[in-house]
């Protein structure tokens, strides 16, 4: 029995992700091969392929792990004390900051997300749906409390998310990395959106 | 005196832009050189450089010409009859459709805009400022008429524009080219934004 066989499979699985994530960041997603990842782990490419069908598959798993941390932070913001308006603003500001930290402090991660958009579209869609569900929960609370006007929480959350694109989307984050006052601009937009959600004349969303 | 000398300079200027625009679309911005443009016009590169300092300069002039047409359409929408809310929705929908036609029907133009972002940032900023001014004019009318709550029209217009990013920005337009129901999603967002502008409790924007 070789020494390597003593490592539990779930540990090898996580080790592959850790090493791949580091290589994707340091070398770039495009320039890293499955053979590079295997070599860094002292294993064969065939062994990596026992865990992941492709580099895209590895990438997808790293992406899922990263967004799980992001969703946990957003759920914390959504569950904070305060009005629905404050909690909604907290969720969007937190999401903006976490996206900004991901896409400006670690420029290589940007390549990864570009790759994800090309290769793992379902993972991105699942991520967006999860964020939208967190926002919809806060909006539903606001509607139930009479703080927001009536409406379909999911549709309203989708509109809020569409409206937040400039402060969430990786490409937009990267493009605006050098612009000052992004948080103040987001606060201004959130003021407008929250005034809209209050919807004092109680007209239904079309 | 050569035959070419009979062409008025302003005509040569426009001819360079026409031919360059066609080549940028057909061949791509990156792959087209000033020498290619000169050759297509049967003139020397030196003659092209009498009119434009660089390919980026030519690109900038084409960009300016294209957005002038776009601004004219937006001013028409802003000046249409109806409430400020209807006119604002008209401006944003028109802008979305014109951007979509530019960036999905002519995929090569997308390269041009990417190049513009890298090379002619001032032209982009001037374009955004012009669109923001048109939106601010409609919002100012709405505030003056009591249709919208009080506020700084420029700041509110900037927030509306930030919020419309998903439906305006070339990268976003290209990314969403295959998604259905974009106009319905924009209508939903505009409903939220316009409810916000109505700002029935008349709280000032932060």
């Amino acid at each position: 029995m070789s020494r390597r066989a003593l490592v539990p499979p779930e540990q090898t699985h996580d080790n592959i992700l850790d090493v791949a994530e580091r290589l994707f960041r340091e070398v770039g997603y495009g320039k890293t091969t499955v053979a590079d990842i295997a070599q860094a782990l002292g294993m064969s490419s065939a062994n990596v392929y026992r865990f992941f069908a492709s580099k895209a598959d590895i990438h997808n798993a790293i992406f899922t792990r990263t967004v799980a941390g992001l969703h946990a932070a957003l759920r914390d913001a959504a569950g904070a004390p305060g009005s629905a308006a404050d909690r909604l603003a907290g969720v969007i500001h937190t999401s903006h900051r976490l996206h900004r930290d991901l896409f400006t402090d670690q420029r290589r991660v940007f390549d990864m997300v570009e790759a994800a958009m090309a290769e793992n579209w379902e993972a991105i869609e699942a991520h967006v749906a999860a964020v939208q569900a967190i926002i919809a929960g806060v909006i539903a609370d606001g509607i139930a409390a009479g703080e927001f006007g009536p409406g379909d929480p999911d549709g309203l959350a989708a509109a809020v998310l569409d409206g937040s694109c400039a402060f969430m989307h990786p490409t937009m984050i990267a493009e605006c990395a050098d612009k000052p006052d992004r948080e103040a601009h987001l606060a201004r937009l959130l003021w407008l959106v929250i005034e809209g959600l209050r919807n004092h004349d109680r007209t239904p969303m079309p």
Side-chain angles (χ1 to χ4, degrees), chain A residues 23 32-45 48-49 55:
Chain A
L23 289 175
T32 301
T33 64
V34 169
D36 295 334
I37 297 163
Q39 192 182 23
L41 285 156
M43 63 174 62
S44 66
S45 294
V48 173
Y49 284 119
K55 186 170 83 165

Side-chain angles (χ1 to χ4, degrees), chain A residues 27-66:
Chain A
V27 183
Y29 177 70
K31 287 182 187 155
T32 301
T33 64
V34 169
D36 295 334
I37 297 163
Q39 192 182 23
L41 285 156
M43 63 174 62
S44 66
S45 294
N47 199 37
V48 173
Y49 284 119
R50 284 179 52 224
F51 291 88
F52 298 98
S54 62
K55 186 170 83 165
D57 225 40
I58 296 174
H59 184 268
N60 202 353
I62 293 169
F63 181 86
T64 303
R65 196 166 72 163
T66 304

Side-chain angles (χ1 to χ4, degrees), chain A residues 66-80 90-91 94-95 98 134:
Chain A
T66 304
V67 297
L70 201 142
H71 296 165
L74 298 189
R75 277 191 295 266
D76 283 350
V91 169
T94 300
S95 183
L98 291 174
I134 292 168

Side-chain angles (χ1 to χ4, degrees), chain A residues 96 160-176 179 182 185-186 189:
Chain A
H96 170 64
V160 169
L161 212 47
D162 273 340
S164 307
C165 173
F167 300 92
M168 302 279 201
H169 194 288
T171 313
M172 300 300 102
I173 297 269
E175 191 182 304
C176 297
K179 285 192 191 171
R182 292 300 287 161
H185 287 192
L186 176 54
L189 174 63

Side-chain angles (χ1 to χ4, degrees), chain A residues 25 66 70 97-106 109:
Chain A
R25 280 185 184 161
T66 304
L70 201 142
R97 282 172 203 144
L98 291 174
H99 278 89
R100 188 193 57 197
D101 293 347
L102 270 176
F103 303 128
T104 53
D105 292 359
Q106 302 162 334
V109 177

